[in-house]
Amino acid sequence: MKNIIKSLLAPACLLAVLPFMASCETDTDSNPTLQKPTSFVLNTPAYADNNVYDLANSESVNFTTTQPDYGYPAITVYEVQVSVDSKFAEVTTLDVPENIAYTTLANTYTTANMDVDATELNNAIVALYQAAHDGADPSGIPMSAYVRLLAHVNGVSDSYCCSNVIELKNVVVSYIAVLPENVYVAGPSIRGGSEPKELGAVYGVEGEWYGMVYMSEGSSLKYGDASAQTTVPNTVDDQANSGATATDDGVTFANAGWYALHLKVLIEDNSMRSTLTVYPGAAYVCGIICGPGADGTGVWDDPNTAWALTVPTDASGEWVSPAFAGSGELRAYIKIPGLDWWRTEFTIYNGGLYWRDADIAQSWAENVGAAYSVTCNPGQQLHVNFDYDTAEVK
């Protein structure tokens, strides 16, 4: 009898319970509300006061934190910020005053227990120290470093908050020469002196970059990364009768004109050495847009003077190609003597020059993407502003 009663009651009970369960799920789980915390705690490592952090000879530095309270468990991304300025310890908001130098490391972490790459931390501290001490080598000098975390929920822009700042009192770093990831040149005749200009990386060759610049008489340039261009090449090889020489002010050009730059950087005995070769400015188009050619596949001579872009007389002028003879994809390049044309090739992407960075066995369209492929028709021409690296086909 009891079993019969249980079986009869069970469906009714389930019917009564199900709406309640659905209601609870709707109210508490389906639409959690993001709370925006104002801070969270980065723990000072237990032995930070007595431990020596020899970063160049370590794999990682362990940091732990309490996750910011977002009101519900959320995938949190942590960015590591470091400074050698003691004023950084006073920063309690997301906004860091401009007079406090700090670096946000490139690697990010998604757990509250993180092993931060020691080499990345070492290189950041070296760069900060050198910027504050006129390039002096900090290798082997014990110093304090200040660290904080910046946290946010992945994909939620309004979720950023910062931790407290902790001090690592005994940090030892070593200068480790590494090839730059990006190279920029800057000078009073480049983009009106208003901003640096990025060079293209020579495709398939490590430690080499190239670009086209207009240099006015007596003007100079230096190179560096996006944040600062303060480096003068160790050697200047003038192949363009430019009168380019290395001085304390940079590479100074005695003669005005358009020049193609080829920068080579290498590491020797943990020191970075660089050579800048200056060539006459020259750019070309090639391929099927130049006509079928003898074998019907296009004109691929490197270089073919018949398909050179005209050189303007000043920085604001346009480089213009001859009118295209065939229909097809744009193929164009800056000519650097000694390099295959395809190592210094460019296309047009969103109105700007895009330097080749992929293997193109067939075409930009097939091997890189349709957005990077420019279709040309007979009679059209390529117009390039090499000062600002913009271009169009018309």
Side-chain angles (χ1 to χ4, degrees), residues 85-146:
D85 188 341
S86 61
K87 296 178 181 177
F88 192 67
E90 303 169 6
V91 177
T92 58
T93 65
L94 290 173
D95 297 323
V96 179
E98 292 184 0
N99 64 337
I100 298 179
Y102 71 98
T103 295
T104 301
L105 303 187
N107 285 323
T108 60
Y109 305 86
T110 55
T111 64
N113 187 323
M114 62 200 78
D115 291 323
V116 175
D117 184 87
T119 299
E120 186 179 16
L121 195 58
N122 176 88
N123 293 346
I125 293 173
V126 167
L128 288 166
Y129 182 94
Q130 290 183 321
H133 297 84
D134 296 323
D137 186 357
S139 299
I141 301 175
M143 68 181 76
S144 288
Y146 303 86

Side-chain angles (χ1 to χ4, degrees), residues 47-48 50-63 116-123 125-126 138-145 168-176:
Y47 303 103
N50 300 315
N51 188 33
V52 175
Y53 291 92
D54 184 359
L55 297 179
N57 294 300
S58 303
E59 291 185 2
S60 62
V61 177
N62 181 258
F63 293 105
V116 175
D117 184 87
T119 299
E120 186 179 16
L121 195 58
N122 176 88
N123 293 346
I125 293 173
V126 167
S139 299
I141 301 175
M143 68 181 76
S144 288
L168 304 179
K169 295 183 178 180
N170 299 295
V171 174
V172 175
V173 297
S174 296
Y175 175 77
I176 302 174

Side-chain angles (χ1 to χ4, degrees), residues 140 162 197 211 229 234 242 271 280 286 320 330-331 357 385 390:
C162 64
K197 167 189 169 76
Q229 303 79 43
N234 300 96
S242 68
S271 295
C286 61
V320 182
L330 175 69
R331 306 301 293 263
D357 58 0
N385 181 319
T390 59

Side-chain angles (χ1 to χ4, degrees), residues 174 178 232 374 385:
S174 296
V178 295
V232 180
V374 179
N385 181 319

